[in-house]
Amino acid sequence: MKIIDAHCHIYPDKIAEKAAAATGRFYDIEMSLDGKVSTLMREGTAAGIDHFIVQSVATTPAQVGSINRFIAEEVARSGGKMTGLGTLHPDSEDIAGDVEQLLELGLRGVKLHPDIQGFKLDDYRCLKIYELCEGRLPLLLHTGDHRYDFSNPNRLKPILDTYTELTVIGAHFGGWSIWEKAAEQLHGYDRLYVDCSSSLYAISPDVGRRLVRCYGADRVLFGTDYPMWSPAEELDRFYAMGLTAEENRKILCDNAATLFSIEI
């Protein structure tokens, strides 16, 4: 079975360890790995992962262009092993231009992290992003945090209700740290998918299996949230859910391949 890791953060070598450590501090979780591309390729390949969807997040508008170029360059160097997502920032003076650059670079979606970037999903500043991405680019959104109110279901539902042709992947089963509450509120949306990244470390296999079947295996993607967790560790946690062979195939490969037009 082919495996796609649909949630990987990568950074330039010179800042990778510092950037990874900052994310760890934000969540009070010790990072397993260093955020370098070479480490992802080594550890992921050793675990049996065939393809990686990679991204990073702009904390200021000025970072958008350089991050998107970095992601595109690493994808080009990967020999077909990576697919790249771009970043956007709602305070950019030219969001339309940023989207066009992202498309010209060959990036196939957009990653936003409201909690780290500091905006609410339903903030008026973000509406231009949704308008420009609707029907064109899938959005991988960090979703959920019991500590904040930036990306919880009450912020995501208005977007799903308004932009009905917008494809959204809600990371962390649609609600990190509020997994079951999020599933109760978010399941059933036609264009909402979720990934299982940074979730299985904190919930039991039984709860994970329930969440998969609540959303439906057709709407779940596998992701490691590298460098937060090691790929091998996350695959072990995934298989511990005891899903069927068909569910595994969809989540580990087919859903991401279809969403992002990946051929392995």
Side-chain angles (χ1 to χ4, degrees):
M1 183 188 302
K2 299 294 184 181
I3 300 176
I4 297 173
D5 183 346
H7 195 138
C8 307
H9 299 271
I10 58 170
Y11 311 99
D13 281 3
K14 64 181 180 181
I15 66 165
E17 292 187 49
K18 181 179 179 181
T23 300
R25 286 193 299 274
F26 185 83
Y27 288 105
D28 195 23
I29 294 173
E30 185 175 352
M31 304 296 277
S32 295
L33 297 166
D34 59 19
K36 296 179 182 179
V37 176
S38 57
T39 304
L40 171 64
M41 297 297 286
R42 182 184 70 247
E43 298 292 327
T45 301
I49 297 173
D50 301 279
H51 196 88
F52 307 87
I53 298 177
V54 296
Q55 68 241 212
S56 192
V57 172
T59 56
T60 68
Q63 295 175 339
V64 169
S66 61
I67 288 175
N68 289 342
R69 288 189 295 272
F70 163 71
I71 296 292
E73 289 164 3
E74 293 301 328
V75 168
R77 278 197 282 264
S78 73
K81 298 278 286 184
M82 291 182 180
T83 293
L85 307 184
T87 186
L88 296 171
H89 196 288
D91 290 333
S92 170
E93 295 181 358
D94 186 14
I95 294 175
D98 294 338
V99 169
E100 291 308 313
Q101 182 209 41
L102 185 155
L103 289 165
E104 289 170 5
L105 289 168
L107 302 176
R108 298 191 190 175
V110 173
K111 169 64 186 289
L112 299 177
H113 196 308
D115 298 71
I116 286 179
Q117 291 178 287
F119 59 83
K120 296 174 181 178
L121 277 176
D122 57 351
D123 191 298
Y124 75 94
R125 295 176 297 159
C126 302
L127 303 186
K128 188 67 173 179
I129 292 176
Y130 307 140
E131 291 170 6
L132 290 167
C133 291
E134 187 174 24
R136 301 169 76 195
L137 289 163
L139 288 184
L140 172 57
L141 303 178
H142 170 89
T143 45
D145 197 317
H146 70 278
R147 304 171 299 172
Y148 308 107
D149 187 24
F150 292 107
S151 62
N152 291 326
N154 59 300
R155 300 295 177 188
L156 179 56
K157 284 172 68 69
I159 304 309
L160 300 173
D161 289 334
T162 302
Y163 299 93
T164 56
E165 297 303 312
L166 180 67
T167 298
V168 171
I169 303 104
H172 325 309
F173 279 124
W176 179 78
S177 73
I178 55 168
W179 294 281
E180 293 181 273
K181 177 181 177 182
E184 289 172 5
Q185 297 183 56
L186 295 174
H187 77 278
Y189 279 94
D190 288 343
R191 301 193 71 86
L192 175 67
Y193 297 77
V194 297
D195 73 32
C196 64
S197 67
S198 282
S199 299
L200 302 176
Y201 78 99
I203 59 177
S204 70
D206 287 346
V207 171
R209 186 168 57 251
R210 256 197 330 269
L211 293 173
V212 166
R213 291 173 179 167
C214 179
Y215 286 109
D218 290 331
R219 299 190 175 278
V220 182
L221 284 62
F222 172 74
T224 65
D225 212 0
Y226 171 88
M228 187 75 78
W229 314 104
S230 78
E233 186 176 33
E234 282 299 281
L235 278 169
D236 285 345
R237 289 169 174 158
F238 176 82
Y239 287 124
M241 287 190 289
L243 301 173
T244 68
E246 182 180 10
E247 288 171 325
N248 286 343
R249 176 178 52 78
K250 290 176 178 179
I251 296 168
L252 290 171
C253 184
D254 291 357
N255 296 338
T258 298
L259 273 176
F260 293 104
S261 301
I262 298 169
E263 294 183 10
I264 303 179

